[in-house]
């Protein structure tokens, strides 16, 4: 059953389009991922759907009596009463249940003083509704979700006013998850979540029995949660089946098919125009009639627009200093903490030249503190950090605190590198999508993504052989993340990065350092070397799972055995689905081969039509008939390929 549909949604400001004719429909249990570069209109689409902004054209339809919950990027800061505690803020998301509790209490007091029949009936009806609406379990659900999102008992007792920006975002997310609306809309829900919390959120959303719409740049997250993807590009949107990776593969095929359609039509138009010109040149009555007939057919033809290129990705390449010594960073018996809050103790590791070290761990375990210790911005409680010979550090700060809000974008980069010419500064900014008038924007009004790109532009110009990055992919869109990954992969120096981006970890890591790795590992640090570069996170998680399995008791092993048996039916279903997928893949491969053969034959036919056969009407008729047959078959094949 369709629960929400958008029909030709469009929004423009004057002559500037934002979205054009966006249409899609979702069923009750669909999980939709919305992707596109920063500024393409993803958050705007959410505002159009919720009615916060009126579309220029189009409409949105909701199924009757369906509830909607939305997490916006700035919604975490909309708390009216900052003196209330975190857990109370959660409870206040259920005003109907709180009101029912107050009313039930009033009715109880009235029954205690005078037990009349109408009061008892009112109490019974209200109590049944209260139970039916979840009154008995909503408090437990609130506390449980807060716990999963990193709020322990002490944090739940904190006032909202004392929360950091990241904590407020997680609180806003917890509120929406606990309400369980029929349509759950989440704008960048993975920001400020550590890897363990991300894994829990993925499981929660996969099991969520209702409709979910997610704006996210976390490719790993999208692949695991979503079953449909809405890709926004050049103000328009297209709905795909499958998660992020399937969508990207299908989009490439769509581009190729659209380009083929356009080229084939252009070739057909040229052929018809040549035929018309030839008939008019002969200038007999029957030739003129034939030419006019073909011209009418040509005029009625629906002309295809040439497919637009994908939005230009940012380009970057880090400037390398002279090579450092072989030992880049030697950390021995390092301990750090604050009053009543120890972070880690007795960390020891040695980083060699050329290693790409990813630092991971739960929020609050001290990852950013470790980075600041490495940069000598903090002094450790105990232990030693020694830099190797000729180490030159380039540092990326996740908060972008090294930007001056009073500067323009142009001045911010130029002031950092005053010997560069204005043309050189503008060319560098253009690589990061700062072009035209955007270079004169004030740093104070930049979005999170724009600030991240400007900080990265400053970083690539500095000479370094050790890159230290704190959450470098935060606020970057998918194209920018991929550009950063490629630049880091090509960097010849050493890299130390704090990140929760599992896609980045998978692709980049040669070594993983996890702080607070869990009960299966002694101490505060797990130092893991990657054997197969390109699947770093996957390999690391397989190793951790194996170590955790070793700790299972016999009872736990028995429980897991029963769970495995209960999943046998699902396994058989998956096996059948895999067989169907292989059959479909084989069909598509055959269609690709046949379409290539037909396209080659069509080219040969066109060469003969405009060459040796031009004056041979019998041969032209044969070729024309064969061409029509081939084109019909080619369209059938294209339809098969579009279903890939």
């Amino acid at each position: 059953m369709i629960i929400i549909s958008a029909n030709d949604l469009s929004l423009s400001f004057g002559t500037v389009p934002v979205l054009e004719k966006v249409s899609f429909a979702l069923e009750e249990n669909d999980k939709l991922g919305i992707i596109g570069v920063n500024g393409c209109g993803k958050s705007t689409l959410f505002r159009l759907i919720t009615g916060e902004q009126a579309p220029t054209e189009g409409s949105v339809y909701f199924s009757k009596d369906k509830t909607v919950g939305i997490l916006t990027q700035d919604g975490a800061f909309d708390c009216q009463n900052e003196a209330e505690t975190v857990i109370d803020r959660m409870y206040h998301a259920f005003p109907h249940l709180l009101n029912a509790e107050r009313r039930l209490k009033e009715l109880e007091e009235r029954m205690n003083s005078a037990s009349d029949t109408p009061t008892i009936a009112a109490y019974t009806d209200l109590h049944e509704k209260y139970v039916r609406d979840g009154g008995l379990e909503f408090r437990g659900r609130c506390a449980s979700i807060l716990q999963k999102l990193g709020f322990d008992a002490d944090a739940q007792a904190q006032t909202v006013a004392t929360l950091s920006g990241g904590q407020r975002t997680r609180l806003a997310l917890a509120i929406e998850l606990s309400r369980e609306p029929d349509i759950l809309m989440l704008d960048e829900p993975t920001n400020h979540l550590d890897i363990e919390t991300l894994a829990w959120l993925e499981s929660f959303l996969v099991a969520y029995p209702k409709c979910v719409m997610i704006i996210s740049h976390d490719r790993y997250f999208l692949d695991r949660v979503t079953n449909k993807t809405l890709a926004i590009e050049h103000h328009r949107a297209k709905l795909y089946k499958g998660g992020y990776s399937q969508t990207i593969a299908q989009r490439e095929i769509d581009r190729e098919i659209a380009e083929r359609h356009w080229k084939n039509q252009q070739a057909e138009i040229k052929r018809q125009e040549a035929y018309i010109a030839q008939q008019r040149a002969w200038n007999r009555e029957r030739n003129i009639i034939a030419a006019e007939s073909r011209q009418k057919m040509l005029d009625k033809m629906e002309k295809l627009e040439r497919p637009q290129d994908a939005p230009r990705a940012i380009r970057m390449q880090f400037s390398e200093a002279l090579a450092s010594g072989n030992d880049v960073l030697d950390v021995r018996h390092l301990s750090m903490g604050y009053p009543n809050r120890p972070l880690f103790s007795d960390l020891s590791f040695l980083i060699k030249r050329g290693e790409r070290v990813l630092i991971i761990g739960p929020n609050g375990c001290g990852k950013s503190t470790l980075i600041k210790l490495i940069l000598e911005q903090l002094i450790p409680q105990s232990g030693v950090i020694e830099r190797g010979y000729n180490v030159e550090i380039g540092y990326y700060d996740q908060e972008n605190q090294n930007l001056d809000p009073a500067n323009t974008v142009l001045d911010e980069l130029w002031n950092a590198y005053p010997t560069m010419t204005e043309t050189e500064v503008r060319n560098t900014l253009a690589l990061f999508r700062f072009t035209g008038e955007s270079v004169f924007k004030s740093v104070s009004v930049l979005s999170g993504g724009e600030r991240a790109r400007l900080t990265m532009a400053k970083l690539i110009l500095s000479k370094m052989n050790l890159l230290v990055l704190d959450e470098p992919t935060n606020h970057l869109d998918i194209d920018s993340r991929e550009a950063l990954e490629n630049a880091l992969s090509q960097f010849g120096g050493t890299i130390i990065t704090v990140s929760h981006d599992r896609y980045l970890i998978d692709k980049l890591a040669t070594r993983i350092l996890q702080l607070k790795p869990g009960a299966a590992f002694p101490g505060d640090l797990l130092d893991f070397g990657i054997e197969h570069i390109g699947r770093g996170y996957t390999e690391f998680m397989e190793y951790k799972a194996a170590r955790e399995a070793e700790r299972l008791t016999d009872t736990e092993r028995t429980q897991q055995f029963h769970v495995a048996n209960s999943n046998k039916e699902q396994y058989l279903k998956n096996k059948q689905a895999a067989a169907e997928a292989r059959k479909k893949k084989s069909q598509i491969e055959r269609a690709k081969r046949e379409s290539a053969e037909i396209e080659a034959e069509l080219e040969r036919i066109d060469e003969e039509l405009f060459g040796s056969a031009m004056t041979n009407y019998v041969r032209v008729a044969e070729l024309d008939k064969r061409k029509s047959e081939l084109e019909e078959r080619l369209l059938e094949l294209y339809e098969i390929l579009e279903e890939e």
Side-chain angles (χ1 to χ4, degrees):
M1 174 183 173
I2 292 178
I3 192 171
I4 177 175
S5 64
N7 303 304
D8 291 335
L9 274 183
S10 301
L11 179 69
S12 58
F13 298 106
T15 58
V16 179
V18 179
L19 294 170
E20 295 180 344
K21 297 189 178 300
V22 175
S23 297
F24 63 89
L26 300 177
E27 297 184 357
E28 288 183 325
N29 59 349
D30 275 338
K31 310 291 191 296
L32 175 74
I34 303 175
I35 62 172
V37 299
N38 282 337
C40 71
K42 301 185 296 294
S43 297
T44 300
L45 177 61
F46 266 19
R47 290 195 292 273
L48 294 176
I49 290 172
T50 59
E52 181 183 343
Q53 191 160 16
T56 307
E57 294 178 8
S59 59
V60 178
Y61 162 80
F62 292 96
S63 262
K64 187 178 180 181
D65 299 328
K66 298 300 181 182
T67 56
V68 179
I70 181 168
L71 172 73
T72 61
Q73 293 189 45
D74 54 2
F77 300 92
D78 293 341
C79 298
Q80 299 295 320
N81 181 8
E82 297 205 343
E84 65 185 346
T85 65
V86 169
I87 191 67
D88 284 339
R89 180 71 187 88
M90 289 286 288
Y91 295 159
H92 288 159
F94 301 88
H96 62 295
L97 295 177
L98 296 178
N99 289 335
E101 287 178 342
R102 284 191 289 269
R103 179 59 178 158
L104 286 170
K105 188 175 181 180
E106 292 173 3
L107 292 172
E108 282 179 6
E109 292 173 353
R110 188 184 301 176
M111 286 190 299
N112 289 336
S113 60
S115 183
D116 59 277
T117 302
T119 302
I120 295 173
Y123 179 89
T124 301
D125 291 343
L126 183 57
H127 187 267
E128 287 178 356
K129 186 177 186 306
Y130 174 76
V131 172
R132 189 169 59 249
D133 291 346
L136 299 180
E137 65 266 8
F138 84 98
R139 281 185 167 81
R141 185 166 72 249
C142 287
S144 174
I145 289 176
L146 282 174
Q147 183 79 30
K148 295 294 186 181
L149 288 175
F151 292 93
D152 58 20
D154 291 337
Q156 292 179 27
Q158 283 182 245
T159 61
V160 173
T162 63
L163 299 182
S164 66
Q167 287 174 316
R168 288 183 179 223
T169 299
R170 284 187 280 126
L171 173 58
L173 175 60
I175 289 170
E176 294 306 327
L177 297 183
S178 66
R179 289 179 56 235
E180 297 185 352
D182 298 307
I183 302 171
L184 179 59
M185 303 171 65
L186 304 175
D187 192 350
E188 293 288 1
T190 61
N191 285 352
H192 308 289
L193 300 184
D194 58 40
I195 289 179
E196 291 182 3
T197 309
L198 273 172
W200 173 82
L201 180 60
E202 285 172 359
S203 300
F204 182 94
L205 293 177
V206 167
Y208 193 71
K210 302 173 184 178
C211 182
V212 182
M213 302 173 66
I214 305 168
I215 295 172
S216 181
H217 299 301
D218 189 324
R219 296 154 289 177
Y220 209 94
F221 179 80
L222 289 171
D223 271 340
R224 277 153 181 74
V225 173
T226 60
N227 68 329
K228 290 183 178 178
T229 302
L230 188 71
I232 301 179
E233 188 176 285
H234 300 303
H235 315 302
R236 293 183 174 270
K238 183 170 182 179
L239 186 66
Y240 293 88
K241 291 182 180 179
Y244 168 78
S245 296
Q246 290 174 270
T247 295
I248 293 303
Q250 185 60 49
R251 250 200 326 183
E252 288 303 312
I253 293 173
D254 286 352
R255 287 188 202 283
E256 292 176 8
I257 291 173
E259 187 76 19
R260 278 188 222 148
H261 280 311
W262 181 79
K263 285 181 178 178
N264 287 340
Q265 188 182 68
Q266 291 300 304
E268 178 64 15
I269 289 172
K270 287 180 181 178
R271 187 176 77 84
Q272 295 295 348
E273 287 175 343
Y275 175 85
I276 292 168
Q278 184 67 67
Q279 293 297 320
R280 284 177 174 164
W282 287 333
N283 202 28
R284 297 174 184 168
E285 182 178 356
R286 66 181 181 184
N287 300 123
I288 296 299
I289 293 172
E292 289 177 351
S293 175
R294 288 294 178 96
Q295 186 63 56
K296 288 178 183 178
M297 181 187 73
L298 201 57
D299 292 340
K300 291 179 181 178
M301 180 185 292
E302 185 178 346
K303 305 298 191 298
L304 300 175
E305 293 183 8
R306 181 166 194 170
Q308 291 179 283
D309 294 330
R312 188 179 65 179
I314 66 172
R315 290 173 290 149
M316 65 177 79
Q317 183 177 0
F318 293 100
S319 303
E320 295 182 30
L322 294 174
S324 67
N326 192 47
D327 292 348
V328 175
L329 197 71
D330 189 6
V331 176
R332 299 192 299 274
H333 307 296
L334 188 70
S335 297
M336 187 62 182
Y338 301 100
N340 301 320
R341 190 190 164 205
L343 291 176
F344 49 76
S345 63
D346 199 31
L347 304 188
S348 295
F349 54 89
L350 174 64
I351 295 177
K352 296 284 190 177
R353 183 178 64 222
E355 286 191 303
R356 301 199 291 262
V357 181
L358 273 292
I359 301 173
I360 66 174
N363 284 335
C365 71
K367 300 184 298 297
S368 294
T369 299
L370 178 57
I371 291 293
K372 289 180 171 64
L373 290 169
I374 291 172
L375 296 169
E376 299 179 348
Q377 296 177 0
L378 294 174
I379 299 173
Q381 290 176 333
S382 63
V384 177
I385 300 177
E386 288 184 358
R387 294 183 189 174
Y389 171 73
N390 198 35
V391 172
E392 296 290 336
I393 295 180
Y395 173 51
Y396 177 89
D397 173 19
Q398 67 166 316
E399 301 297 334
N400 310 128
Q401 293 175 354
N402 295 323
L403 300 179
D404 185 345
N407 280 339
T408 64
V409 170
L410 181 66
D411 290 338
E412 182 65 31
L413 189 59
W414 209 349
N415 290 348
Y417 300 95
T419 59
M420 294 175 66
T421 66
E422 181 177 355
T423 300
E424 289 172 331
V425 174
R426 280 177 168 268
N427 287 342
T428 301
L429 289 172
L431 298 178
F432 290 84
R433 298 199 195 120
F434 292 107
T435 57
E437 294 299 312
S438 67
V439 302
F440 300 113
K441 289 174 69 174
S442 171
V443 171
S444 62
V445 302
L446 296 181
S447 67
E450 289 171 326
R451 291 174 66 87
R453 284 188 274 123
L454 179 55
T455 302
M456 202 65 72
K458 291 175 66 177
L459 179 60
I460 67 166
L461 294 175
S462 63
K463 298 286 186 180
M464 72 210 90
N465 49 39
L466 172 60
L467 266 173
V468 180
L469 310 172
D470 192 0
E471 293 288 2
T473 58
N474 270 7
H475 305 295
L476 293 181
D477 57 35
I478 290 175
D479 290 349
S480 301
R481 291 182 182 208
E482 291 177 345
L484 174 62
E485 287 165 4
N486 292 332
L488 292 175
S489 297
Q490 295 166 11
F491 180 64
T494 308
I495 300 172
I496 302 174
T497 302
V498 170
S499 183
H500 297 307
D501 188 334
R502 293 160 294 176
Y503 223 91
L504 175 74
I505 299 169
D506 233 6
K507 182 173 182 177
L508 190 67
T510 63
R511 185 173 167 194
I512 292 176
L513 301 180
Q514 183 177 18
L515 296 180
K516 303 295 179 70
F521 304 90
D524 287 343
L525 181 71
L526 169 57
D527 188 345
F528 181 77
I530 305 300
E531 291 185 8
H532 303 93
I533 310 303
R535 61 186 306 270
Y537 179 74
T538 305
E539 189 174 301
F540 175 71
M541 292 305 294
E542 288 172 354
Y543 167 74
K544 282 198 71 178
R547 281 291 298 268
E548 291 286 353
E550 291 174 3
R551 299 179 60 251
L552 290 175
T553 65
D554 291 339
T555 303
E556 289 170 324
R557 291 181 193 278
T558 302
Q559 290 173 344
Q560 287 197 345
F561 175 77
H562 289 314
V563 169
N565 281 345
S566 68
N567 288 334
K568 184 176 181 181
E569 183 179 350
Q570 184 62 43
Y571 164 78
L572 294 174
K573 289 181 180 178
N574 292 342
K575 186 176 180 181
Q576 182 181 355
E580 292 174 355
R582 287 193 298 271
K583 182 179 178 182
K584 184 68 176 177
K585 183 179 179 181
S586 176
Q587 182 186 19
I588 288 171
E589 290 299 325
R590 289 196 301 272
K592 285 181 179 178
R593 289 194 297 270
E594 186 179 352
S595 64
E597 292 169 358
I598 290 176
E599 287 167 355
E601 185 175 351
L602 285 171
E603 289 180 9
R604 292 194 296 271
I605 289 174
D606 282 340
E607 288 176 5
E608 188 175 352
L609 277 170
F610 296 112
S612 59
M614 273 190 83
T615 57
N616 186 340
Y617 298 118
V618 175
R619 181 58 177 160
V620 165
E622 291 173 353
L623 291 173
D624 210 55
K625 180 181 178 183
R626 175 60 176 163
K627 184 174 182 180
S628 297
E629 293 171 352
L630 290 173
E631 286 174 340
E632 286 181 11
R633 176 56 182 162
L634 191 60
L635 288 175
E636 293 173 0
L637 293 172
Y638 283 165
E639 289 176 1
I640 294 173
L641 291 175
E642 286 174 345
E643 294 173 1
E644 183 179 1

